[in-house]
Amino acid sequence: MPNPDTRYRRTARLIHWAMAILVLGMIPAGVAMVQPGIERSVQNALFLFHKNVGVVLLLLIVLRALYRWRHPPAPLPGDLPAWQHRAAGVSHVALYALLFLVPIAGYIRVMAGGFPIETLDWLGVPSLVPRSDALAEVAKTVHYFGGIALALLIATHIAAAAYHGIIRRDGVFSRMWPPFAKHGG
Ligand code: HEM
């Protein structure tokens, strides 16, 4: 049983699991919607989902980073090998960086390309980037490779979580699970 004081606060866990579900939906949606031969109505629905939920994700990662800054998590267990400590630190920084970079690149790709983001348009939010095909192309490439890197990192992250939860059973997994259990604000 983990020491309850080492667990992430409830708000941090709720944001984590909400983002996990949304990002795991974004990757297959993003891949599927650019496949040649996909039916037009399905493609439109996937684009609508991908762009608008992507903007929500961008807001969530900002919220999450601010919350973490105000409420730093407890240290990992002291008996964890040093290389695993380092690997966790590096991969978490990389996850945060990509969770900022990928949606920002997606936003720039769409806006610079002159396409709509329906909820932002509906809310009257103006584009923050100029219309430019060259910029849209660069952002598209960053979004593509960033998306691949993010998918690989998430796979590693899930493998590490399973290792802690199933093999080591050292309480690290329960620091973030379950999403709703009471602990902190
Ligand atoms: C964490 C958030 C996001 C993830 C993980 C993600 C992931 C992906 C992936 C894997 C693809 C397929 C890449 C390809 O094969 O070309 C893709 C495509 C795309 N994404 Fe995202 N995306 C995210 C956020 C966004 C946002 C916020 C927008 C825009 C508001 C966006 C707009 C697009 C567009 C327009 C494409 C099609 C690329 C093209 O061919 O122009 N994405 N995304």
Side-chain angles (χ1 to χ4, degrees):
M1 199 53 197
N3 173 353
D5 291 332
T6 69
R7 306 185 70 186
Y8 281 83
R9 288 165 170 262
R10 187 173 32 193
T11 309
R13 277 182 279 137
L14 279 174
I15 301 175
H16 172 274
W17 289 105
M19 287 190 68
I21 292 168
L22 294 179
V23 172
L24 287 176
M26 291 297 280
I27 295 173
V31 172
M33 73 196 192
V34 294
Q35 296 310 309
I38 182 172
E39 198 184 311
R40 192 61 194 226
S41 58
V42 177
Q43 186 181 43
N44 287 344
L46 289 176
F47 262 101
L48 199 67
F49 166 80
H50 190 87
K51 289 186 294 178
N52 293 281
V53 172
V55 172
V56 173
L57 268 168
L58 189 49
L59 297 177
L60 278 178
I61 188 67
V62 172
L63 190 70
R64 181 170 181 182
L66 287 174
Y67 190 84
R68 188 186 168 106
W69 173 58
R70 300 290 299 172
H71 304 282
L76 287 164
D79 60 347
L80 203 64
W83 73 267
Q84 289 187 22
H85 252 273
R86 270 197 304 278
V90 169
S91 65
H92 292 168
V93 169
L95 270 172
Y96 271 85
L98 287 169
L99 284 168
F100 273 106
L101 180 75
V102 173
I104 288 174
Y107 173 86
I108 296 174
R109 190 265 175 276
V110 172
M111 285 308 185
F115 297 102
I117 298 181
E118 293 73 9
T119 30
L120 295 185
D121 295 344
W122 183 72
L123 291 169
V125 180
S127 173
L128 301 174
V129 290
R131 172 82 180 85
S132 156
D133 286 337
L135 179 60
E137 270 310 304
V138 173
K140 180 176 165 175
T141 307
V142 172
H143 192 67
Y144 176 75
F145 287 108
I148 293 175
L150 184 58
L152 292 175
L153 206 53
I154 288 173
T156 314
H157 183 73
I158 293 172
Y163 167 71
H164 283 289
I166 300 167
I167 297 173
R168 263 184 78 100
R169 295 168 182 254
D170 54 6
V172 168
F173 182 73
S174 331
R175 278 157 58 90
M176 194 54 101
W177 182 263
F180 295 105
K182 285 205 191 82
H183 172 63

